[in-house]
Amino acid sequence: MKKKAVALKYDHHKDKAPRVVAKGEGLLAERILSLAREHGIPIKKEDKLIEALLKLEIEQEIPPELYEAVAIVLAWAWRLNEQS
């Protein structure tokens, strides 16, 4: 099975919701994950969420129906950052 990855960014000063800044499968997914590791960005595997996010365009804000799922992942990432 091919690796899949989606990177989100959220700037609460200018964005209404997190937006997709990178996405890909296979080698591109590997590169996204590698860059995340290099920069200490938490990585969480959520297959259903990744599939939904892969359907979005680059720079597109996530739609309201994904707010809850993305909020859970972002809260997890923020807790990890606070612990380190």
Side-chain angles (χ1 to χ4, degrees), residues 9-71:
K9 182 176 182 180
Y10 178 60
D11 179 343
H12 70 278
H13 295 294
K14 67 177 188 174
D15 298 326
K16 289 186 252 173
R19 57 191 165 85
V20 175
V21 292
K23 66 178 187 168
E25 299 182 33
L27 291 175
L28 185 53
E30 297 275 353
R31 182 70 177 137
I32 292 167
L33 294 168
S34 176
L35 285 169
R37 285 185 203 100
E38 284 175 31
H39 294 280
I41 297 169
I43 298 169
K44 183 151 180 77
K45 184 178 179 192
E46 293 288 339
D47 293 331
K48 288 181 183 178
L49 180 56
I50 290 171
E51 290 299 327
L53 293 171
L54 280 170
K55 294 175 184 171
L56 303 178
E57 298 298 322
I58 298 295
E59 294 300 324
Q60 182 178 350
E61 288 185 349
I62 64 166
E65 59 268 19
L66 295 179
Y67 284 2
E68 185 177 355
V70 169

